[in-house]
Amino acid sequence: MTPPVVHSLREQIREHILEGIISGRWQPGERIVERHIAVELEVSQTPVREALRELESLRLIESAPNKGVRVRSLTAADLKESYPVRAGLEQVAAELAASKLAADTTALEREVAALCEADRAPDGEAQVRHTVAFHREIVLASGNSVLLHTWESLGVEVWTTLSIRWLSPEPRSHAQEHQELVDAFRRRDPAIGELLRTHVLSCAPRL
């Protein structure tokens, strides 16, 4: 797995642990030992602890007194739960950002161009990275910091990665479907919020 672009030691450690969960290095119910990860990566236990707390907040792992941290047993239903919440947030974001993005879609077009390259490769990790970046640009354009914070707390990139790697949906044209959203912003489509909501829900894992 080619790791996504990260910007801090905590994020690098989080991706290392996430890859271990995805690949099966740590099985559901198995303990993840903070000290062992710190030794393996030659870092202090503090950033490892921070990364584990983040993954626990996303419900990928769970901790219990005297039992340590263990991998949760996740199902397709677990992966699907965040999508309706995300869809609602992005619907609001699109409606708030509609005027701004109608005037300037440069940031969105940049991610679509990157998705074209990822689709051609095909590069699944780049598809996830630029898909999430595209949607984040819409949330940013809303200008609502509470909305952005709530959206980021969902761990969109983590859940998208898990959905694709674990459930292996059929390949789809990521660039094309996101270009359609760019076109909708450009033409000031009054239904842009609903269009984005429908798009996000279509990405949810199938039970």
Side-chain angles (χ1 to χ4, degrees), residues 57-204:
S57 73
L58 295 174
R59 299 176 295 113
L60 294 177
I61 61 177
E62 54 192 0
S63 61
N66 304 318
K67 292 185 178 181
V69 175
R70 298 180 185 276
V71 179
R72 282 192 63 213
S73 296
L74 293 169
T75 65
D78 291 314
L79 297 182
K80 189 174 182 178
E81 278 187 343
S82 68
Y83 281 85
V85 179
R86 176 187 163 192
L89 291 173
E90 292 196 27
Q91 179 177 4
V92 174
E95 292 167 353
L96 292 174
S99 296
K100 181 177 180 179
L101 292 177
D104 184 4
T105 57
T106 303
L108 299 183
E109 290 171 347
R110 181 173 59 246
E111 300 304 333
V112 170
L115 281 171
C116 284
E117 294 296 324
D119 286 348
R120 279 195 291 266
D123 183 342
E125 305 310 321
Q127 287 174 328
V128 170
R129 186 164 64 252
H130 292 293
T131 292
V132 174
F134 178 96
H135 288 267
R136 190 174 191 276
E137 289 294 345
I138 295 174
V139 179
L140 277 171
S142 74
N144 188 307
S145 60
V146 174
L147 184 57
L148 175 62
H149 175 75
T150 305
W151 184 86
E152 289 182 334
S153 73
L154 294 177
V156 173
E157 185 163 3
V158 169
W159 289 112
T160 302
T161 300
L162 286 173
S163 297
I164 290 176
R165 291 290 297 276
W166 277 357
L167 302 179
S168 301
E170 294 182 2
R172 56 195 294 172
S173 176
H174 295 271
Q176 178 58 39
E177 61 190 44
H178 287 86
Q179 181 61 54
E180 291 170 1
L181 291 171
V182 173
D183 294 341
F185 275 112
R186 280 179 178 164
R187 66 174 181 266
R188 299 178 184 272
D189 192 319
I192 185 61
E194 183 58 33
L195 288 174
L196 187 56
R197 176 179 175 277
T198 300
H199 162 75
V200 171
L201 290 176
S202 75
C203 299

Side-chain angles (χ1 to χ4, degrees), residues 24-40:
R25 175 182 177 183
W26 291 293
Q27 296 292 323
E30 186 175 349
R31 188 181 178 195
I32 300 178
V33 182
E34 179 184 303
R35 183 180 69 260
H36 292 175
I37 296 174
V39 171
E40 177 185 355

